[in-house]
C-alpha cells in the first residue's frame, strides 16, 4: 500500500512540476522533498508524510483549487512548508542541490524526467 502511494507520486510529480514551473515559489522545496522521499536513507514514516504533502500538491482539487492561479497554490505552499519543517532532518543538502540543479538545467522543457 505504501509503495503504491509513492509510485503514484512518482508518476504525476514531474508533469506537475513542468506545468507549474515559474509559477509557484515553493517548487524547489517540493522537488527537494521528492528527492528526500526517494532516498533509501529516509525512514518509511517520513517518506509517507512527504508523499502525503506531494499528493496534496499534485491534486488539483484541494482547499483552494489550483485553477485560481495566485491564490490556488497558497494551501499547497503551506502543506509543503509544514512537511519541509517536520521532515527537515531527512531533507539533505544533496536533495536541495538536486532540486536547484534540475531547475537550472533546462529540463523543465524536456519530455524526459530526472527519474528516467
Amino acid at each position: 500500500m505504501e509503495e503504491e502511494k509513492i509510485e503514484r507520486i512518482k508518476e504525476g510529480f514531474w508533469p506537475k512540476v513542468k506545468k507549474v514551473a515559474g509559477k509557484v515559489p515553493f517548487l524547489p522545496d517540493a522537488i527537494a522533498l521528492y528527492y528526500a522521499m526517494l532516498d533509501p536513507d529516509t525512514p518509511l514514516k517520513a517518506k509517507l508524510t512527504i508523499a502525503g504533502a506531494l499528493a496534496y500538491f499534485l491534486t488539483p482539487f484541494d482547499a483552494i483549487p489550483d485553477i485560481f492561479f495566485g491564490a490556488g497554490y497558497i494551501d499547497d505552499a503551506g502543506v509543503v512548508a509544514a512537511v519541509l519543517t517536520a521532515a527537515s532532518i531527512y531533507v539533505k543538502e544533496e536533495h536541495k542541490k538536486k532540486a536547484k540543479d534540475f531547475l537550472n538545467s533546462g529540463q523543465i522543457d524536456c519530455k524526459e524526467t530526472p527519474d528516467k
Side-chain angles (χ1 to χ4, degrees):
M1 181 85 164
E2 291 87 11
E3 290 81 19
E4 289 175 20
K5 184 175 186 177
I6 291 171
E7 285 303 313
R8 282 194 304 271
I9 301 301
K10 287 169 64 175
E11 288 174 16
F13 186 74
W14 293 114
K16 178 74 171 209
V17 164
K18 290 177 181 192
K19 180 180 176 185
V20 302
K23 299 174 184 168
V24 294
F26 63 89
L27 194 56
D29 293 334
I31 296 171
L33 283 171
Y34 178 81
Y35 284 126
M37 179 187 75
L38 298 182
D39 190 327
D41 292 336
T42 302
L44 182 60
K45 185 175 179 180
K47 286 183 181 197
L48 293 175
T49 301
I50 292 168
L54 295 177
Y56 190 85
F57 170 59
L58 294 178
T59 304
F61 307 106
D62 47 37
I64 303 173
D66 296 342
I67 59 170
F68 299 117
F69 258 167
Y73 287 99
I74 292 172
D75 57 326
D76 299 71
V79 170
V80 167
V83 171
L84 187 62
T85 299
S88 64
I89 63 171
Y90 305 112
V91 182
K92 302 172 187 169
E93 283 305 312
E94 70 186 69
H95 303 139
K96 294 175 186 177
K97 182 178 179 337
K98 286 173 82 172
K100 183 179 176 183
D101 290 348
F102 171 78
L103 290 170
N104 292 330
S105 71
Q107 287 183 311
I108 294 286
D109 300 323
C110 297
K111 292 192 188 278
E112 288 292 314
T113 62
D115 295 339
K116 303 283 181 198

